Amino acid sequence: MKRVEIHLKDEERETLKAMCSSGVASVRILQRAQILLALDQGILDQQIASVLQVERTRIWRVRQRYLEQQLKGALYDQPRSGRPTEYGDSAEAELVALACSKPPTGYSQWSLPLLTQGCFIVEGEKPYLTDWRIAAWQQPSKRTPTCEPG
């Protein structure tokens, strides 16, 4: 298989150099930028892999993505669809409103089981707010969160 050379445009090269020197981007993006700069200089894949401590397949993928999608496609991943949400904004608003209200009689504050009981919203037969979804809204500290502004 013949090695395909890449030649960055001047503005792309300057963008990548600025990105690498600032160090503000994620490691994955900085590594891809370094790979592109090295490929632009004609450095062999094996040398790039050795210096950057990456697999040669990563270099091949970055080169291929640059050739197909240009700079933006080579640096950044495509958005992934992920798992669709099973509840909407209204369910989240209901949970927040419930957590900001006074707890039931006999309790000093809302707990995860109490919030779960209060938020069982049934869509057909399936409850779609469960313990692990509510846990994301709970404070990890021992302080009781207040919902009043100020």
Side-chain angles (χ1 to χ4, degrees):
M1 180 171 156
K2 185 179 177 190
R3 178 182 163 162
V4 179
E5 299 288 327
I6 66 164
H7 300 285
L8 298 171
K9 299 173 188 156
D10 290 336
E11 62 267 6
E12 290 176 335
R13 192 175 300 109
E14 292 305 316
T15 300
L16 293 174
K17 285 180 181 178
M19 187 181 292
C20 289
S21 64
S22 71
V24 175
S26 71
V27 173
R28 179 182 296 161
I29 293 172
L30 289 176
Q31 205 169 52
R32 291 172 184 170
Q34 291 170 338
I35 290 170
L36 286 170
L37 286 170
L39 288 172
D40 183 51
Q41 294 174 4
I43 299 174
L44 297 174
D45 294 2
Q46 196 169 14
Q47 291 174 320
I48 298 170
S50 175
V51 171
L52 295 179
Q53 296 182 350
V54 296
E55 295 293 325
R56 287 175 43 189
T57 54
R58 176 171 290 194
I59 298 166
W60 298 336
R61 284 190 207 112
V62 170
R63 176 189 290 118
Q64 190 61 37
R65 286 174 59 178
Y66 178 79
L67 292 172
E68 292 173 358
Q69 304 169 18
Q70 297 301 313
L71 185 62
K72 189 175 181 180
L75 290 178
Y76 303 103
D77 293 327
Q78 295 290 330
R80 298 179 182 171
S81 62
R83 183 177 178 179
T85 58
E86 295 180 18
Y87 57 93
D89 293 336
S90 62
E92 181 178 345
E94 183 180 333
L95 173 64
V96 171
L98 184 64
C100 290
S101 67
K102 289 186 177 183
T105 308
Y107 296 94
S108 61
Q109 63 186 22
W110 284 101
S111 66
L112 185 59
L114 284 176
L115 284 172
T116 304
Q117 289 171 5
C119 283
F120 258 142
I121 302 170
V122 178
E123 191 174 88
E125 293 290 320
K126 179 182 176 190
Y128 65 94
L129 277 181
T130 57
D131 288 353
W132 64 272
R133 293 185 191 280
I134 293 173
W137 284 290
Q138 282 196 320
Q139 296 272 340
S141 68
K142 294 185 179 190
R143 290 182 19 208
T144 303
T146 58
C147 295
E148 288 94 33

